[in-house]
Amino acid sequence: VNVQGQPSQCAAGAVTMEHVVRSGGGDNNSASFNLPTGAYIYESTQWDQDPNGPIDWTVTNVNAAEFGYRRSA
């Protein structure tokens, strides 16, 4: 499973983001990445296995999981 985005920030100051997979009721965060001011960046995180295990992804687990990102700082 690959979580990707192209975020940016408008205001000055440091902003740090993380990709998130919610599987089995728990959140699993990627490594943090910094957002530049006034420019878009492409960030991608790959989860080779379902972090709720870890076990191989199944169609059922992918369909039940939630994917996104969050501001970490």
Side-chain angles (χ1 to χ4, degrees):
V1 171
N2 194 3
V3 178
Q4 54 192 341
Q6 197 168 6
S8 178
Q9 67 166 331
C10 298
V15 174
T16 305
M17 303 287 292
E18 299 170 337
H19 291 121
V20 180
V21 172
R22 180 172 290 154
S23 177
D27 288 351
N28 300 275
N29 302 327
S30 71
S32 297
F33 54 93
N34 296 319
L35 295 185
T37 300
Y40 289 93
I41 60 168
Y42 177 81
E43 284 290 334
S44 176
T45 302
Q46 183 168 324
W47 276 273
D48 293 326
Q49 292 188 307
D50 182 344
N52 183 35
I55 56 175
D56 289 339
W57 285 104
T58 64
V59 172
T60 301
N61 289 358
V62 170
N63 288 338
E66 296 176 1
F67 307 93
Y69 56 90
R70 71 179 193 98
R71 182 176 175 159
S72 56

